[in-house]
Amino acid sequence: MAGTTGGPPPVTGPPPLTERPGSLRLPGLLLGVGLGGFVDGILLHQVLQWHHMLTSTDQDRIGVKFYPATTVDGLKMNTVWDGVFHAVCWLSVLLGLAILYARVTCHRRRVWTSAVLWGWVVAGWGVFNLVEGLLDHQILGIHHVRAGAQQVWWDAGFLLLGVLFVLVGWLLQRRGRPFDPDSAAGTAPAGPASA
């Protein structure tokens, strides 16, 4: 073939998944865990008041004292533990932002519009649902999404939503254009990138 140097043909299109930079993965997951926790805490604990952190401790698996949200003392203790929960969510968001800020020194606007970042955020929210749903609802039994006769279905729906968020987030970040915060243009490097 005339005009060829005998080397491999040039690669076109986005690099394979293994070559995509992992620099947005950790901060995206941390942001998703924290933001997912905030949605849970604000919507389910405060607005809808379906549960608090310790509202099912009369049926838990670890022997925590029962604090019914229908009494002043019970609501006080649940409010304290809801506050601890929100503090952990806040720290997750702060840590995610700090890591993102440290890793991305230029082209920050491009990062915030990146499907890769938002895919990892959605996946992080799913990870939150799965960990919180398995740990608090199933293993410890300290609360349920909505306690009562149908609580198993509410808890199962919460877990299924977590699986769906992880799947959608993973697919979204895969579709996104790779982002290398160290390159001049903010695009993926030609060679393999470190995770």
Side-chain angles (χ1 to χ4, degrees):
M1 294 194 292
T4 62
T5 60
V11 177
T12 58
L17 181 62
T18 56
E19 294 181 10
R20 293 177 184 222
S23 62
L24 300 179
R25 182 180 305 128
L26 179 60
L29 287 171
L30 286 169
L31 286 167
V33 165
L35 294 172
F38 276 137
V39 170
D40 177 275
I42 293 167
L43 183 65
L44 302 180
H45 295 216
Q46 296 173 330
V47 175
L48 297 175
Q49 298 178 17
W50 283 1
H51 69 261
H52 298 280
M53 286 306 294
L54 303 176
T55 49
S56 293
T57 53
D58 58 332
Q59 305 168 22
D60 71 349
R61 293 173 184 79
I62 56 172
V64 175
K65 182 181 174 191
F66 181 45
Y67 296 103
T70 55
T71 68
V72 173
D73 287 338
L75 189 55
K76 282 182 180 180
M77 184 58 76
N78 274 289
T79 301
V80 166
W81 282 101
D82 285 351
V84 170
F85 171 73
H86 280 117
V88 170
C89 295
W90 182 67
L91 290 173
S92 180
V93 169
L94 282 181
L95 186 59
L97 287 172
I99 293 170
L100 185 64
Y101 184 81
R103 289 187 178 179
V104 180
T105 57
C106 58
H107 308 289
R108 288 192 175 119
R109 175 177 285 213
R110 197 159 170 270
V111 171
W112 289 109
T113 60
S114 166
V116 174
L117 176 64
W118 291 106
W120 286 121
V121 169
V122 171
W125 186 348
V127 167
F128 165 81
N129 277 23
L130 291 172
V131 170
E132 207 260 343
L134 289 171
L135 185 64
D136 291 344
H137 305 169
Q138 305 303 316
I139 295 170
L140 300 177
I142 59 174
H143 71 258
H144 299 280
V145 174
R146 186 155 190 176
Q150 304 297 319
Q151 74 187 24
V152 69
W153 297 110
W154 286 101
D155 289 350
F158 192 80
L159 290 170
L160 286 174
L161 187 62
V163 169
L164 180 66
F165 281 179
V166 168
L167 180 62
V168 168
W170 184 76
L171 290 172
L172 182 62
Q173 69 80 27
R174 273 198 68 176
R175 285 186 26 174
R177 185 173 177 180
F179 181 84
D180 180 9
D182 296 326
S183 75
T187 57
S194 61

